């Protein structure tokens, strides 16, 4: 399946970010902890050159704990400040103020030497669609200050949020990049819901997902649905449909609904903590 998806508004959003980067001290980049490499827009490194950087492994509660630690080590070695968070529950968000001060320490010291005091650091919050930026900002600010949703592309324009006397945030729309060089990247983003499901074929998505996870996490699939071998993904989807009473008239298994259920169960964490890429395996 072709997993390319780049709506026209993303070009406008990237242009807006480029126009505002001159005012920014810090870039806070959210990635999905289940795909911490594929959920990074490579254009952000170019945009943020010379800026302090924080990477947040969001939805860390849905990812393999060992993988979370491995990815934190991976990005710290590359010079990023890193934190694992669950923006929805607020887990880890309480450490953000300290991390921001640490990441901006050099800038704050330079300001003091120049006699600039009481100037808040300005941070741009970036990330691909559906990675949880707005939910994170709401959690960080302690109130619903941005619109949130469970579909990619809810935030359409820029929003400045004054958190406290030390920090202002610029929320930005979720932005992908025009072409995925590696087709696997698009596939992984489709698994986590960062590509609009409306343009995808549910059964093909579910089959690709089963092939990707059956090795390391196959037992979680088997336990969840009470099924046996995962060798034939099409048969697995039939079994899921029958186990969950997803049938058409005449008793035929409804493969489409079973495929949608499988992906919903993965995205919500009902299958367990599953990470789809690990440092060293896909680089």
């Amino acid at each position: 399946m072709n997993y390319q998806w780049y709506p026209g508004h993303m070009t406008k959003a990237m242009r807006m970010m480029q126009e505002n980067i001159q005012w920014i001290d810090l870039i806070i980049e959210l990635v999905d902890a289940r795909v911490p490499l594929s959920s990074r827009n490579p254009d952000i490194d170019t945009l943020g050159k010379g800026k302090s950087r924080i990477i947040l492994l969001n939805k860390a509660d849905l990812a393999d704990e060992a993988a979370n630690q491995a990815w934190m080590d991976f990005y710290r070695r590359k010079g990023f400040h890193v934190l694992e968070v669950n923006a929805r529950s607020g887990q880890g968000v309480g450490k953000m103020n300290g991390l921001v001060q640490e990441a901006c320490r050099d800038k704050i010291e330079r300001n003091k030497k120049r006699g600039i005091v009481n100037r808040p650091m300005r941070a741009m919050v970036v990330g691909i669609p559906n990675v949880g930026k707005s939910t994170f900002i709401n959690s960080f600010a302690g109130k619903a200050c941005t619109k949130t949703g469970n579909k990619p592309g809810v935030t359409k324009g820029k929003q400045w949020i004054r958190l406290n006397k030390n920090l202002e945030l610029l929320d930005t729309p979720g932005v992908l990049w025009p072409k995925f060089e590696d087709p696997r990247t698009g596939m992984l983003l489709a698994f986590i819901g960062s590509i609009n499901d409306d343009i995808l074929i549910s059964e093909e998505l579910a089959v690709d997902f089963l092939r990707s996870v059956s090795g390391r996490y196959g037992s979680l699939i088997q336990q969840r649905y009470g099924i046996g071998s995962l060798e034939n993904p099409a048969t697995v989807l039939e079994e899921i449909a029958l186990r969950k009473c997803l049938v058409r008239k005449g008793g035929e298994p409804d493969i489409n609904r079973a495929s949608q259920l499988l992906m919903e169960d993965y995205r919500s964490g009902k299958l367990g903590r599953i990470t789809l890429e690990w440092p060293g395996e896909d680089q």
Side-chain angles (χ1 to χ4, degrees), residues 49-222:
K49 189 174 182 180
K51 305 294 182 179
S52 299
R53 303 290 298 277
I54 290 176
I55 287 183
L56 300 181
L57 297 178
N58 193 29
K59 306 184 183 181
D61 58 310
L62 302 179
D64 191 311
E65 291 179 89
N68 287 347
Q69 187 57 57
W71 280 110
M72 290 178 70
D73 293 342
F74 174 85
Y75 282 123
R76 281 170 178 156
R77 287 195 297 269
K78 290 185 173 292
F80 295 96
H81 293 82
V82 191
L83 183 65
E84 56 179 323
V85 300
N86 175 2
R88 191 168 298 280
S89 71
Q91 178 185 352
V93 177
K95 299 178 181 179
M96 274 301 299
N97 282 316
L99 190 63
V100 168
Q101 293 298 305
E102 180 182 339
C104 296
R105 182 182 293 121
D106 290 345
K107 176 74 175 191
I108 293 170
E109 289 301 317
R110 287 198 299 271
N111 282 349
K112 286 181 179 178
K113 290 179 180 178
R114 294 165 59 189
I116 301 173
V117 294
N118 298 323
R119 175 193 176 283
M121 291 292 101
R122 298 191 180 103
M124 180 182 286
V125 182
V126 301
I128 65 171
N130 209 33
V131 80
K133 296 184 306 302
S134 295
T135 302
F136 161 72
I137 290 175
N138 291 345
S139 180
F140 193 14
K143 59 182 183 297
C145 54
T146 64
K147 183 179 179 182
T148 61
N150 60 1
K151 289 188 176 182
V154 170
T155 305
K156 297 297 184 183
K158 68 177 180 180
Q159 301 180 65
W160 278 102
I161 299 104
R162 180 72 178 263
L163 289 191
N164 52 53
K165 65 179 182 179
N166 297 316
L167 183 63
E168 293 179 352
L169 297 182
L170 175 61
D171 189 17
T172 62
V175 179
L176 292 172
W177 52 109
K179 183 175 177 58
F180 304 134
E181 297 300 327
D182 182 353
R184 176 173 163 78
T185 298
M187 181 178 69
L188 294 178
L189 295 183
F191 290 164
I192 64 171
S194 288
I195 293 179
N196 195 328
D197 282 334
D198 293 341
I199 70 167
L200 304 173
I201 301 172
S202 297
E203 183 176 348
E204 291 186 17
L205 180 67
V207 165
D208 285 343
F209 175 74
L210 286 168
R211 287 174 175 156
S212 296
V213 303
S214 60
R216 182 176 267 131
Y217 299 108
S219 62
L220 296 179
I221 307 290
Q222 292 168 320

Side-chain angles (χ1 to χ4, degrees), residues 197-267:
D197 282 334
D198 293 341
I199 70 167
L200 304 173
I201 301 172
S202 297
E203 183 176 348
E204 291 186 17
L205 180 67
V207 165
D208 285 343
F209 175 74
L210 286 168
R211 287 174 175 156
S212 296
V213 303
S214 60
R216 182 176 267 131
Y217 299 108
S219 62
L220 296 179
I221 307 290
Q222 292 168 320
Q223 291 168 17
R224 173 69 180 172
Y225 303 111
I227 58 179
S229 172
L230 302 180
E231 185 174 346
N232 186 333
T235 301
V236 171
L237 292 174
E238 289 182 5
E239 288 192 55
I240 292 174
L242 294 173
R243 291 276 184 176
K244 295 297 182 179
C245 299
L246 303 174
V247 294
R248 302 179 185 274
K249 286 184 178 180
E252 288 293 318
D254 191 329
I255 303 302
N256 185 60
R257 288 174 63 196
S259 299
Q260 293 174 349
L261 174 66
L262 174 65
M263 299 314 302
E264 288 168 4
D265 282 353
Y266 169 63
R267 293 169 181 173

